[in-house]
Structures are given as structure tokens and as C-alpha cells.
């Protein structure tokens, strides 16, 4: 479902060139759950943004469901995201002038779905917000806003869901509920779930854990927690 091959990301400024990511090679199957972990500034969010096609690599390829997304122009990449990728941000990224229902309807309406209202209503009910359809984000709690964001991401039934610190701004109990919901929807829809997180307990719930350190990636499987092996990388 996701294939990253020989991917590098560098930035250049007056002080020289900084290698953010170096020779990243990762393949993820449909329905897998994967945590990306590492120290702050290690490149985790950059990797997630490149996989989403929101940022571009310096070199290398990224395939989503067999599509080489950087062989496409920006409009074509946006179309692939709309069809195949959901994204959940720590800061929710809801539109304040739209109700919860309208926020979830939006990606369906952009895709031309005639059943946008019905599908959005059903998804909000699924995440426990059936009584909050007409509420605006400003009157929803943080946990409720994150559930709206999840509903918006899942309502298009994406092949891939990318989540950047999805519980980072929530209290522990609310964060646990949001993560359980995310894993439940992952199983129900067979969505490949990729999380950036600092929370070790969340990372341990995923099948695979990819650690970014000094721009390179190492990986551990949940079934092999005591064994860590290197993803092919030039250091």
C-alpha cells in the first residue's frame, strides 16, 4: 500500500546543507498499523508529510497503492490524496465556520458524493457524536474536535490514514478513547494506519515501529520487540 524507496530529504540555507532524511526504504501492506517514533526534530513529521505528498523529497520515490505520487503534478497528487489518503493533525485543522457535520461532509462534497450528508452523519454517529452534528468546533471539547477530525478522515474510507501526534493535545483518558477509536476503524476498514507519536504505549500497540534517528530509519516488529534491525540505509 505504501512503498518508500531510496528517499532523501535535504534543505539548504546560508549555513550549508542539512540532511533531514537519508535513504529511507519502507514498504507497508494494506491494513498494517505502524508507529513512527524518534526524538523531536528527527524528521518524523517530514517523513509523514512526504508520504502524504504534502512535502517533496530531494530524491527517491513514494508509491501509494501502486501510484508514484511524485511522478504527478500537484493537482494530480491532490486528487490521489482525496481518493486514498486521510490525514489527522494534532491541532485538528477543523474549519471554524462549519459545523461538525459540514466539516465531515466537505471531502465528500469535493468528491461529488450525492450522499455526503447521510455518510457524514453515519460516521459522526460511529464516533459517538450523533448529538453534536450542528455544533461548531469552538463549542466542542478537544476530544470531540479530534473525533470530528477522525470522522472527516475516515468518511472517505481511505486506503491510508496518516496521523501526526493525534493525541498530543488531549488528556490521557480522552487520548485513550481517541486511539481506541482509531484502531477500531483501522480494523473495520482495513486502512493502513501510520502514526507519528512520542507515546510509547501507543507505539507498542502498532504492528511495526519505525524509529527515525540521525535521518535514518530502524525498525522493530511488535512480535519481535526485543530485536531491532536496520532498514537499509546509507549512513
Amino acid at each position: 500500500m505504501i512503498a518508500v524507496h531510496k528517499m532523501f530529504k535535504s534543505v539548504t540555507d546560508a549555513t550549508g546543507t542539512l540532511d533531514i532524511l537519508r535513504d529511507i526504504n519502507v514498504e507497508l501492506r494494506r491494513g498494517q498499523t505502524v508507529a513512527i517514533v524518534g526524538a523531536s526534530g528527527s524528521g518524523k513529521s517530514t517523513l509523514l508529510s512526504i508520504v502524504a505528498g504534502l512535502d517533496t523529497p530531494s530524491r527517491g520515490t513514494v508509491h501509494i497503492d501502486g501510484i508514484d505520487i511524485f511522478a504527478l503534478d500537484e493537482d494530480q497528487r491532490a486528487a490521489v490524496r482525496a481518493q486514498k489518503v486521510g490525514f489527522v493533525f494534532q491541532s485538528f485543522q477543523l474549519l471554524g465556520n462549519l459545523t461538525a457535520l459540514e466539516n465531515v461532509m466537505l471531502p465528500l462534497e469535493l468528491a461529488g458524493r450525492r450522499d455526503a450528508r447521510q455518510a457524514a452523519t453515519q460516521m459522526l454517529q460511529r464516533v459517538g457524536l450523533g448529538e453534536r452534528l450542528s455544533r461548531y468546533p469552538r463549542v466542542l471539547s478537544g476530544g470531540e474536535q479530534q473525533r470530528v477530525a477522525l470522522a472527516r478522515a475516515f468518511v472517505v474510507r481511505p486506503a491510508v490514514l496518516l496521523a501526526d501526534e493525534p493525541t498530543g493535545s488531549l488528556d490521557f483518558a480522552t487520548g485513550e478513547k481517541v486511539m481506541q477509536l482509531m484502531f477500531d476503524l483501522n480494523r473495520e476498514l482495513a486502512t493502513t494506519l501510520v502514526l507519528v507519536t512520542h507515546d510509547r504505549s501507543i507505539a507498542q500497540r502498532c504492528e511495526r515501529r519505525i524509529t527515525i534517528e540521525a535521518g535514518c530509519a530502524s525498525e522493530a516488529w511488535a512480535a519481535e520487540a526485543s530485536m531491532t534491525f536496520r532498514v537499509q540505509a546509507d549512513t
Side-chain angles (χ1 to χ4, degrees):
M1 183 53 65
I2 300 174
V4 180
H5 182 62
K6 293 188 176 299
M7 192 266 283
F8 291 74
K9 177 65 176 182
S10 303
V11 294
T12 302
D13 60 18
T15 64
T17 298
L18 173 64
D19 294 324
I20 299 174
L21 297 170
R22 295 187 289 167
D23 200 17
I24 304 296
N25 296 273
V26 177
E27 293 188 358
L28 308 177
R29 297 192 308 273
R30 183 173 183 85
Q32 283 190 321
T33 56
V34 186
I36 300 176
V37 299
S40 297
S42 61
K44 305 184 302 298
S45 294
T46 299
L47 175 57
L48 204 68
S49 293
I50 291 174
V51 170
L54 298 171
D55 195 359
T56 56
S58 301
R59 52 192 164 107
T61 61
V62 177
H63 288 76
I64 300 291
D65 200 13
I67 300 170
D68 182 352
I69 62 173
F70 293 109
L72 309 176
D73 62 31
E74 178 51 42
D75 289 342
Q76 292 170 324
R77 283 199 297 276
V80 171
R81 282 196 297 272
Q83 295 168 6
K84 298 182 179 293
V85 181
F87 210 115
V88 178
F89 301 88
Q90 178 178 344
S91 55
F92 316 135
Q93 298 291 327
L94 299 178
L95 296 178
N97 62 329
L98 300 182
T99 65
L101 179 61
E102 290 166 342
N103 266 282
V104 179
M105 287 174 60
L106 184 59
L108 298 172
E109 291 177 325
L110 293 174
R113 288 269 298 271
R114 295 184 178 182
D115 64 338
R117 179 173 292 274
Q118 178 183 1
T121 298
Q122 291 174 346
M123 184 55 71
L124 282 165
Q125 291 171 338
R126 173 65 185 81
V127 301
L129 293 176
E131 304 299 318
R132 300 286 192 271
L133 303 181
S134 62
R135 301 291 179 87
Y136 289 90
R138 65 179 178 272
V139 298
L140 298 175
S141 69
E144 288 172 336
Q145 290 184 62
Q146 191 61 294
R147 281 186 281 160
V148 173
L150 273 180
R152 182 182 59 187
F154 272 111
V155 74
V156 296
R157 303 181 73 88
V160 174
L161 180 70
L162 307 174
D164 193 359
E165 295 285 0
T167 63
S169 59
L170 305 177
D171 64 77
F172 177 79
T174 303
E176 282 291 300
K177 292 177 182 178
V178 167
M179 285 310 308
Q180 186 58 55
L181 178 61
M182 191 174 294
F183 282 109
D184 288 345
L185 291 170
N186 155 256
R187 286 190 293 270
E188 290 174 18
L189 302 180
T191 297
T192 302
L193 176 60
V194 185
L195 303 165
V196 165
T197 183
H198 283 96
D199 189 322
R200 180 172 296 188
S201 65
I202 292 174
Q204 290 175 340
R205 294 174 65 179
C206 294
E207 296 172 77
R208 298 169 66 178
R209 293 188 294 280
I210 297 172
T211 300
I212 305 297
E213 185 177 6
C216 296
S218 61
E219 182 173 359
W221 286 73
E224 300 171 316
S226 63
M227 181 178 69
T228 301
F229 60 90
R230 297 294 296 178
V231 175
Q232 181 182 349
D234 290 338
T235 57

